[in-house]
């Protein structure tokens, strides 16, 4: 994927794209971020321990059903480190 391909598909000028996304990596990060499901909400009832356990189990369920999302999140976690790679 190139910035030129994105601007052609979106029918916007390159300057417009860079006004919203400072770099190609920022654009890619935003695209991946849109694929990541929202974090589960902790239950309102129960002890702090029970609520935390429920939250961790709910997050584990999201991870189990979306391994590609976890790969994308891992890629995003590298951040600007990717810019130095050949």
């Amino acid at each position: 994927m190139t910035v030129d391909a994105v601007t052609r598909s979106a029918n916007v000028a390159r300057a417009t794209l860079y006004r919203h996304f400072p770099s190609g990596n920022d654009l890619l990060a935003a695209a991946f971020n849109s694929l990541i499901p929202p974090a589960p909400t902790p239950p309102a009832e129960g002890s702090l321990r029970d609520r935390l356990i429920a939250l961790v189990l709910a997050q584990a369920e999201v991870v189990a059903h979306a391994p590609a999302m976890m790969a994308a999140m891992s890629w995003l976690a590298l951040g600007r480190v990717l810019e130095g790679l050949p």
Side-chain angles (χ1 to χ4, degrees):
M1 168 172 73
T2 65
V3 171
D4 287 332
V6 172
T7 57
R8 271 195 310 274
S9 294
N11 198 26
V12 297
R14 193 176 183 95
T16 302
L17 183 74
Y18 280 117
R19 202 172 304 132
H20 296 282
F21 304 101
S23 73
N25 277 349
D26 291 314
L27 173 62
L28 196 52
F32 276 122
N33 192 43
S34 72
L35 299 173
I36 299 169
T41 304
E45 302 293 323
S47 69
L48 177 59
R49 181 180 189 280
D50 291 340
R51 293 173 65 209
L52 285 172
I53 289 171
L55 185 60
V56 169
L57 291 174
Q59 187 65 42
E61 189 69 23
V62 169
V63 170
H65 287 95
M69 299 304 174
M70 296 306 107
M73 286 175 51
S74 298
W75 180 87
L76 288 174
L78 291 173
R80 298 218 177 256
V81 172
L82 292 177
E83 291 178 0
L85 296 176

